Amino acid sequence: GVGARAGGAFFGEAACRAIKHVGSPELQSFQEFIRDQQQQIVAKIQEIDGGAEFLADPWVRENSEDAKLSAAGCMCVLEDGCVFEKAGVGVTITGGVLTEARAQAMSQRGTPMTAGS
């Protein structure tokens, strides 16, 4: 492998972070948190492996009829490492309309939600 970059960065990380945020400010904040978690997991696995580096494959699925139904993500894959033969860390961010059942489940955990949002 080519070894990890300084700070645990990986090939394609900038492209993964460039995927646009969608939704409310709260949702955008959560999306950034999830992307940070992905980066930290990737960095730790690279550190443990000590030889190979993750390659990132960002993707976007646009919905021309309803932007709320669009999706984006980033799949990071490490192959032929010193410790790991293959490892993957994926993130998918989807949009959609919240169902009544899901809104009730989320509300029961302390986050008041309304169906249709």
Side-chain angles (χ1 to χ4, degrees):
V2 294
R5 294 179 181 196
F10 52 96
F11 288 118
E13 178 182 2
C16 286
R17 291 202 171 275
I19 295 171
K20 68 179 179 176
H21 290 81
V22 295
S24 68
E26 294 84 7
L27 181 57
Q28 291 178 22
S29 176
F30 182 70
Q31 291 171 27
E32 189 60 33
F33 169 77
I34 292 299
R35 289 185 179 131
D36 287 346
Q37 294 301 301
Q38 181 186 34
Q39 193 278 329
Q40 290 177 27
I41 292 167
V42 164
K44 190 62 172 177
I45 292 172
Q46 282 184 170
E47 177 186 324
I48 291 167
D49 188 78
E53 186 169 295
F54 276 87
L55 298 177
D57 182 18
W59 58 272
V60 176
R61 187 191 76 214
E62 299 287 345
N63 186 316
S64 59
E65 294 178 22
D66 186 349
K68 289 183 183 178
L69 300 178
S70 295
C74 185
M75 183 64 196
C76 300
V77 177
L78 175 146
E79 293 181 313
D80 300 321
C82 295
V83 175
F84 300 101
E85 181 178 334
K86 190 173 218 179
V89 183
V91 168
T92 299
I93 298 169
T94 61
V97 178
L98 192 60
T99 65
E100 183 64 39
R102 191 75 194 124
Q104 287 178 357
M106 292 171 77
S107 295
Q108 290 174 353
R109 291 192 302 265
T111 304
M113 300 299 290
T114 304
S117 57

